[in-house]
Amino acid sequence: MSIALIILAAGKGTRMESHLPKVLHKIGGAPMLLHAMQSGIALSPERIIVVAGHGADRVRIAAQAHDPDTEVVIQTEQLGTAHAVAQARPALNGFDGDVLVLYGDTPFISHASLEAMAVARAQHDVVVLGFEATDPDRYGRLVMQGESLQRIVEFKDASVDERTITLCNSGVISAQAETLFDLIDAVGNDNAGEEHYLTDIIGIARARGLSATAVTCDESETLGINSRAELARAEAAFQSRARAALLADGVTMQAPETVFLSFDTVIGRDAEIEPNVVFGPGATIESGARIRAFSHLEGCHVSRGAVVGPFARLRPGAELAEDVHVGNFVEVKNAQLAEGVKANHLTYIGDADIGERSNIGAGTITCNYDGVFKHRTTIGADAFIGSNTMLVAPVSVGDGALTASGSVITRDVPDGALALARAPQVTKDGHAKRLFEMLKKKKENLRKGVI
Ligand code: UD1
Ligand code: CA
């Protein structure tokens, strides 16, 4: 069965108190909209349609960055969930598969739940994803008769009796495209919210002799986000799931609750992640690498046997080959460190290529930026960069070359050469002693008031 996703994302999200459209607030480094899209994408949909309204341009950019084939339709006025789904109708003209409606602010619906809905769809015309709510609060209630879903009643319109129902509507709903849009055509707005409720299609379907049922999922999947507090709760839920998945895959973490992960963090088996490490988007860590405490990594690749940190920062484009060591207070950006390179202390390596086994001394800096352009530094294999070397890019240091400590290297250093670029030392015997005596005497005179 071919599937089209319709993801509702037009709401303003007033309670977020934000200029950013609600669905673009991030969880695990990715907009919540992308999490919602991703759960539906697991079903290999033929079409993806996002219904945007508030901040539609930004929503479009984010959705299409994740999946360029995503179509974005605009709902100019938010007249209710049925009205929102109806906006996708022209885009789906002629599509005769199943439609699955998801919410952009409900990011954790599992693949298993959507699969279960697809199975139920074989028996029923309309399938709703429900859940047993510990606190049913203001959710729509599912009115069941055995297996059969009779109707959904919104909290605002529910009777006292109906409000005691604990089986609630997650909002996720599935039906054949034409059936769905025909049902939506019949939805009015004669209700407490004066909105076109998508949930009304169940009662309408039943009245037309169509069948409907509910599949249930775990309440944690239906976590919706309306405020920053709920966003923080969703982040915490995401983090604990992501940590548990890594532990299950054989990653060592002594204090997993202090490690922060992104939606796309990849860490190989037997890698070790010490406490208080943060992974921004785009980090991949191979098997057996070790990331030591208080390091921050994003957009980088760390190969097996490499050791990073403590207190290291790997920024986008940092690529560490096998057995590379990057130590405390070292920052690496857009640079390739070949096998066995060591940069153990207080260093900035930006826009650079460093050959195998080269040693980068403490305090070395690639001066990559002239205020307008960025330039590259190239270092060969087995080079030794003395402590506190400034490498003023563009510049290269050859294989087996050596730069003397404190050098400011502005010209290329050939293979095997020694480059020394610092002022020669001047030593004057007895000068320090005389200078201190003079200064002490001056201080004493000042104290006595003698000038
Ligand atoms: C909806 C359901 C309710 C369910 C709850 C689960 C309806 C009528 N009610 O209620 O049964 O228990 O979700 O969270 O469907 N949206 C649009 N355009 C609109 C209206 C809404 O895009 O015109 C989007 C919102 O941005 C949001 C989603 O649809 O992502 C749900 O809308 P919301 O107003 O939050 O519905 P609820 O009142 O929470
Ligand atoms: Ca809601």
Side-chain angles (χ1 to χ4, degrees):
M1 171 63 79
S2 61
I3 290 179
L5 301 179
I6 297 180
I7 301 172
L8 304 190
K12 186 160 184 222
T14 313
R15 284 197 282 145
M16 293 299 284
E17 297 292 345
S18 177
H19 293 299
L20 192 66
K22 175 162 82 170
V23 294
L24 298 189
H25 283 267
K26 288 179 179 170
I27 299 169
M32 63 176 99
L33 173 64
L34 302 201
H35 291 263
M37 286 173 72
Q38 203 50 44
S39 56
I41 284 172
L43 298 174
S44 313
E46 206 167 280
R47 308 277 297 272
I48 304 174
I49 296 167
V50 171
V51 181
H54 289 277
D57 289 343
R58 296 168 82 175
V59 171
R60 180 194 308 277
I61 290 166
Q64 291 177 344
H66 188 58
D67 185 325
D69 296 331
T70 303
E71 298 158 75
V72 178
V73 300
I74 309 294
Q75 185 194 27
T76 33
E77 260 187 300
Q78 278 68 63
L79 302 176
T81 44
H83 180 260
V85 174
Q87 306 314 300
R89 187 175 201 165
L92 285 177
N93 190 21
F95 177 81
D96 67 354
D98 260 18
V99 168
L100 177 69
V101 178
L102 296 168
Y103 291 174
D105 63 356
T106 308
F108 298 142
I109 305 290
S110 75
H111 182 47
S113 298
L114 298 182
E115 287 285 359
M117 287 180 75
V119 170
R121 260 286 294 130
Q123 313 287 330
H124 297 275
D125 296 301
V126 187
V127 178
V128 168
L129 185 64
F131 63 102
E132 277 297 336
T134 36
D135 174 15
D137 195 32
R138 305 185 67 79
Y139 286 114
R141 308 297 208 266
L142 302 189
V143 182
M144 302 294 294
Q145 203 169 70
E147 290 279 281
S148 169
L149 175 59
Q150 302 298 304
R151 58 195 191 97
I152 303 178
V153 56
E154 288 305 303
F155 174 81
K156 285 185 208 164
D157 303 296
S159 66
V160 175
D161 267 1
E162 286 166 336
R163 286 182 182 184
T164 65
I165 298 173
T166 52
L167 183 61
C168 291
N169 175 29
S170 72
V172 181
I173 204 163
S174 171
Q176 193 275 334
E178 234 169 286
T179 308
L180 177 71
F181 292 120
D182 285 351
L183 292 169
I184 285 175
D185 274 345
V187 172
N189 67 347
D190 182 17
N191 53 50
E194 291 185 359
E195 278 183 33
H196 291 81
Y197 293 158
L198 181 60
T199 45
D200 280 355
I201 68 168
I202 303 300
I204 297 166
R206 300 291 295 142
R208 290 183 181 178
L210 299 176
S211 70
T213 196
V215 163
T216 52
C217 69
D218 194 84
E219 185 170 12
S220 61
E221 295 180 34
T222 68
L223 183 69
I225 293 145
N226 301 296
S227 64
R228 306 273 183 166
E230 285 169 357
L231 182 66
R233 226 174 293 151
E235 181 72 40
F238 167 84
Q239 292 298 339
S240 62
R241 257 201 311 272
R243 291 164 189 146
L246 287 180
L247 291 168
D249 285 350
V251 174
T252 300
M253 291 188 268
Q254 297 99 331
E257 67 283 2
T258 68
V259 173
F260 288 83
L261 302 159
S262 280
F263 67 105
D264 61 353
T265 305
V266 176
I267 305 181
R269 176 186 293 222
D270 288 321
E272 184 183 346
I273 314 298
E274 290 187 357
N276 296 298
V277 172
V278 175
F279 293 94
T284 55
I285 312 301
E286 285 185 13
S287 259
R290 184 169 176 214
I291 312 298
R292 305 205 54 202
F294 296 100
S295 294
H296 189 286
L297 298 85
E298 62 185 319
C300 62
H301 180 83
V302 179
S303 303
R304 64 184 64 230
V307 181
V308 174
F311 297 99
R313 180 166 183 210
L314 301 187
R315 292 173 51 206
E319 293 194 17
L320 277 50
E322 291 183 22
D323 303 319
V324 164
H325 287 197
V326 164
N328 39 252
F329 307 108
V330 172
E331 174 182 346
V332 182
K333 182 216 76 170
N334 190 26
Q336 319 228 330
L337 278 56
E339 198 172 328
V341 165
K342 289 189 174 53
N344 275 327
H345 336 264
L346 299 159
T347 284
Y348 173 59
I349 299 171
D351 303 306
D353 297 286
I354 304 181
E356 293 170 15
R357 296 172 302 279
S358 285
N359 188 91
I360 311 297
T364 295
I365 288 175
T366 54
C367 310
N368 60 328
Y369 186 44
D370 59 16
V372 181
F373 296 105
K374 300 275 170 70
H375 303 281
R376 260 191 120 68
T377 298
T378 308
I379 297 173
D382 300 302
F384 186 94
I385 307 300
S387 295
N388 200 32
T389 296
M390 302 292 119
L391 296 155
V392 183
V395 74
S396 71
V397 176
D399 292 345
L402 188 155
T403 67
S405 305
S407 289
V408 179
I409 303 295
T410 53
R411 279 176 289 162
D412 292 351
V413 181
D415 292 353
L418 162 69
L420 196 141
R422 62 187 185 212
Q425 183 167 326
V426 177
T427 306
K428 297 184 177 175
D429 286 338
H431 257 57
K433 194 163 173 260
R434 282 199 296 280
L435 179 68
F436 287 133
E437 278 165 7
M438 191 187 84
L439 291 173
K440 279 180 193 153
K441 195 163 185 186
K442 187 170 179 184
K443 193 175 180 184
E444 184 66 11
N445 286 342
L446 280 169
R447 199 175 59 80
K448 290 186 194 151
V450 185
I451 298 155

